[in-house]
Amino acid sequence: MPESFDVAIIGAGPGGYVAAIRCAQLGMNTVCIDEWKNTKGKASLGGTCLNVGCIPSKALLESSENFYQAKYKFSNHGVMVENVSADISVMIARKDKIVTTFTTGIASLFKKNKIKSLHGRGTLLKREPSADTWTIRVSDNGITEEIQAKYVILATGSNPRPLNFVPIDNEMVLDNSGALALTEVPKRLGVIGAGVIGLEMGSVWRRLGAEVIILEAMPGFLMAVDEQVAKEARNIFSKEPGLQIHTGINIQSIQALKKNVVVNYSDYSGQEQTLEVDKLIVAIGRVPNTAGLGVEDNGLLLDERGFVAVDQHCRTNLTNVYAVGDVVRGPMLAHKASEEGVAVAEMILHQEKNKTGENEAVDFNTVPWVIYTAPEIAWVGKNEQELKAAGIAYKVGQFPFIANGRARAIGETSGFIKVLADEKTDRVLGVHMIGPHVSELISEAVMAMKFSASSQDIACIVHAHPSLSEVFHEAALGVDKRALHI
Ligand code: FAD
Ligand code: NAI
C-alpha cells in the first residue's frame, strides 16, 4: 500500500518548500518531491533560486562590487589600496558555500517540520473521478515508488528559454548556471537579452574586468520599467566603461567555435554586424517547466503559453490540485512563488475544515521588483505609462539622491525616487526607484501600498536623519509640492 499524505508538493524551490513548511505548520502530513541535483550529482533543495538563481547571483554581485569599489572608488574616500586583484576561484567557492548553507538549511527545516523529503521526478498519475486521493509516481535513476495524497501542489518552476540559433553548452554559450560558474574573467563577454539576468550577470563580469556587450531585441531599454527610470538607468549604464548595450537588434546566426563565439546580427538601422566574444550568455527569458509532470495523461490544463492554467487562487482544472510559482502566470519572482505557496497552504486548510469565506490570493500589484545593478532599480505598483494607458489621473513627487546627505556620505548619488499618487484620493499607486540600496528602500513603499496609504500618510512619518529613506519621504512630500531640501 503506497504511503499516504494530506499534501504532496512537487518541486522544492521557493514556491514548493515554503508551501511545504506552511502546510506542516498547519498540521498537515506533508511530502515534498524534488529532482534537483547539484554539479556533484547530489540532491539539492531550494530550486532555481537557491541553486542557480537569486542567492548565488547576489553573492557574486556583492563580491564583484566589493572588488570594483576597492579598485576604483575607495580612493574617493582617501582609502588607498594598491594592486587590487580578484581571485575568481575564491569568489566562486564563497558563492558555492553560501548556496550549500542554504540548500542544506532547507533539508533541516524539512526535518524540523516533519516534512518527508523525496528525491526524484514526481509525475501526477491519472485518477478515476471517484477516487479521493491522487497517486504520484516518484522516479530516480530507474527506481520508482508511488505515494498518495489528498491534495497536490505543483511547484515545478521554470527553465531558461532556449535560443534557436545555438545550443547552451555552458562552456562557450552559457545560461544562468554557466554564467554563475565561470572560472576566469572573459576578455569580451556577449549577452543576448538586456533583461534582469542579462543586466545582473553582465554587471558581475564587467565589474571584474570583462568588456560586456549586450544585444537586446526590443527597440527600447527595460521597456516594462517606468520610462523615466529606464532612461536614467540607460544614461548611467552608458557612461560605464566596458559596457555597451545595443537595442533593436536581430540575431541572424551564432557560431560557437573552440576559442570564441561569433554572433551575426542586424542592428537597429538594419546594418549587418558581427560580434566576436570569448563567451556568450543567453538570457532571453524563462519558460514554465511542466516536463515529466504527466500532463499528457492526467488532463492538467496548460494555458496558451505553456504555463499550468490556474485561477487567481492558484486552483488548476483538477480537483484538489494547485500550482504556484514560475510554472503559473504572473511575475517570475521567488517572493511571489513563496507567497502563493503560503496562500495555497492556507486555502487547503480552509477547504479541509469546510470553512467558507475569502480564499487567499496574492496581490500582484504589491509585489516588488528589484534589479540588482549599480545603482539598483526597484519598483512596486503602476508606472507612469500604465497609468496613462488606463486613463488614471495622477500626481507625481520626485526627489534625487544627490540632494540627500547619506547618499553623499556613501558617495552614491545617482538616481531618484518617484511616488505616483491618485490625483483625487492621493492614494499611492506606484513607487519607482533607482539609486543606492533601493532593494531595501522599496519595502517601505510596499507596506504603504499594502495598507492603502496616501502620499500624505508617508509625508507624516518621521524618517531618520541622515538616511537614504529620507529620499522616499521627500518624494512623498513632493506629491503636494512641499519637498523641503530641493
Ligand atoms: P524553482 O525555483 O524553479 O523550483 C522548482 C523545483 O522543482 C526545482 O528544484 C526543480 O528541479 C523541481 N522540479 C521540476 N519538475 C519536477 C518534477 N516533475 N519532479 C520533481 N521535481 C521537479 N527572483 C527573485 O525574486 N529575486 C532574485 O534576485 C532572483 N534572481 C534570479 C537570478 C537568476 C539567475 C535566475 C535564473 C532567477 C532569479 N530569480 C529571482 C527568479 C527565481 O529564481 C524564481 O522566480 C523562483 O526560483 C521560482 O520558484 P519556484 O519554486 O516556482 O521554482
Ligand atoms: P527577462 O524577461 O527579464 O529579459 C529577457 C530579455 O531578452 C528581454 O528584454 C527580451 O526582449 C530579450 N530577448 C528575447 N528574445 C531575444 C532575442 N532573440 N534576441 C535578443 N533579445 C531577446 O528574462 P531573463 O533576464 O532571462 O530573466 C528571467 C526572469 O527571471 C526575469 O523575468 C525575472 O522574473 C527573473 N529574475 C529575477 C531577478 C530579480 O528579481 N532580481 C534576477 C534574475 C532573474
Side-chain angles (χ1 to χ4, degrees), residues 10-16 33-36 46-49 52-54 57-58 120-122 155-158 176 197 200 286 289 291-293 324-326 332-335 337 372:
I10 306 183
I33 303 148
D34 190 88
E35 66 176 347
W36 195 285
T48 303
C49 174
V52 293
C54 329
S57 61
K58 270 74 236 178
R121 169 163 287 193
T156 49
S158 62
N176 53 295
I197 296 181
E200 290 188 359
R286 295 181 63 86
N289 178 13
L293 264 185
V324 300
D326 278 13
M332 284 182 157
L333 296 172
H335 41 284
Y372 294 81

Side-chain angles (χ1 to χ4, degrees), residues 121 246 353 427:
R121 169 163 287 193
H246 301 287
K353 293 196 167 168
R427 184 176 169 164

